[in-house]
Amino acid sequence: MPHATASWLVDNTALSFEQIAEFCGLHILEVQAMADDLASSKYTGRDPVHSGELTHAEIEKGQNDPEYRLRMQKAPVDVSRTKGPRYTPVSKRQDKPDGIAWIIRNHPEISDAQIGKLIGTTRNTINAIRERSHWNIQNIVAKDPVTLGLCSQRELDAAVARAAKKGVVQADADDATEEVVAPRRDDREALIEELKAQREAATRAASEAAQEAEAEAWLQAKRAAEANEG
């Protein structure tokens, strides 16, 4: 969680922005924005000393020498996910609605099933927040689930990538249907309309021919009657 770690280092150490940016893998302007409270999202600080990624001695070295580059003591623990519901510590469960609201607002392409696996929640809770019928909706504030500790950045990025890939596949399928099926449907309808028009024209022609024949027969009969009278 580089942003959360950088936020903690800004607030709790005298390290330079460049040192913090390099250690956390961020751009120096991002760190500057955190220090100036200009960041669009407020990050909950994450203590790298507590997690074992840094030591107080290492931070002291950096504070005493602006040219010193911090060395990570151990890599962040990457906990692999197992099947089944995600376990969330009791202290973090109250943050779930905030994390769900953030995903719904910022990544609407992520399905409810993916949100459920990512945050460890139910469809009913997700729908309640989406429809703003949640019992505590007035107090829910959208917050990044990564900074809340509900999931890792890698897991969130993977969910976004899967949703994007699914959206592309669906769009391609829709385009294929529009390009292939629609013209066939249009051709069939055009053929049916043409046949109907031909039948109607034939019916009209037959009716007109019958009327003309009937009129001709009547005229001949009238002429024959007049000839007999004469």
Side-chain angles (χ1 to χ4, degrees), residues 87-102:
Y87 172 76
T88 305
V90 176
S91 59
K92 292 290 183 182
R93 292 178 188 176
Q94 62 185 6
D95 295 331
K96 284 186 177 183
D98 294 344
I100 295 169
W102 188 92

Side-chain angles (χ1 to χ4, degrees), residues 15-228:
L15 295 169
S16 69
F17 296 151
E18 186 176 356
Q19 287 173 309
I20 295 174
E22 183 166 335
F23 177 77
C24 296
L26 302 175
H27 193 283
I28 189 171
L29 293 180
E30 291 182 272
V31 180
Q32 177 72 55
M34 291 180 188
D36 294 339
D37 290 331
L38 298 177
S40 58
S41 299
K42 300 300 181 183
Y43 296 97
T44 301
R46 174 178 177 274
D47 185 353
V49 176
H50 179 73
S51 64
E53 296 165 22
L54 277 178
T55 63
H56 287 295
E58 187 70 9
I59 292 175
E60 284 293 335
K61 289 181 182 179
Q63 292 178 146
N64 295 331
D65 180 6
E67 300 299 322
Y68 182 76
R69 295 296 173 256
L70 298 174
R71 296 179 181 178
M72 186 173 292
Q73 304 303 300
K74 72 173 185 178
V77 178
D78 186 12
V79 180
S80 59
R81 288 279 289 119
T82 57
K83 293 184 177 180
R86 172 188 292 276
Y87 172 76
T88 305
V90 176
S91 59
K92 292 290 183 182
R93 292 178 188 176
Q94 62 185 6
D95 295 331
K96 284 186 177 183
D98 294 344
I100 295 169
W102 188 92
I103 294 176
I104 291 174
R105 186 184 70 183
N106 293 280
H107 294 288
E109 72 276 12
I110 298 181
S111 67
D112 289 356
Q114 286 181 303
I115 296 175
K117 292 180 180 179
L118 197 62
I119 302 296
T121 187
T122 65
R123 289 179 182 269
N124 290 337
T125 299
I126 297 170
N127 288 331
I129 294 173
R130 177 178 282 111
E131 297 170 1
R132 300 192 63 79
S133 60
H134 190 276
W135 66 272
N136 195 35
I137 192 65
Q138 298 301 324
N139 296 316
I140 294 177
V141 178
K143 295 180 182 178
D144 188 341
V146 175
T147 62
L148 292 175
L150 297 173
C151 65
S152 69
Q153 187 66 53
R154 179 177 297 180
E155 289 170 327
L156 178 59
D157 291 344
V160 172
R162 283 195 299 270
K165 183 178 180 180
K166 185 176 180 181
V168 170
V169 171
Q170 183 61 45
D172 290 343
D174 292 343
D175 291 343
T177 301
E178 183 177 351
E179 293 174 1
V180 177
V181 177
R184 290 180 180 177
R185 186 186 302 117
D186 292 343
D187 291 345
R188 182 179 178 184
E189 290 177 354
L191 179 59
I192 292 174
E193 290 297 327
E194 184 178 351
L195 292 174
K196 287 173 63 178
Q198 290 177 356
R199 284 198 300 269
E200 291 175 357
T203 301
R204 284 197 302 271
S207 178
E208 292 173 357
Q211 290 177 358
E212 291 178 358
E214 184 179 352
E216 183 65 24
W218 177 83
L219 182 59
Q220 290 179 357
K222 182 178 180 182
R223 289 175 178 173
E226 290 176 349
N228 292 332

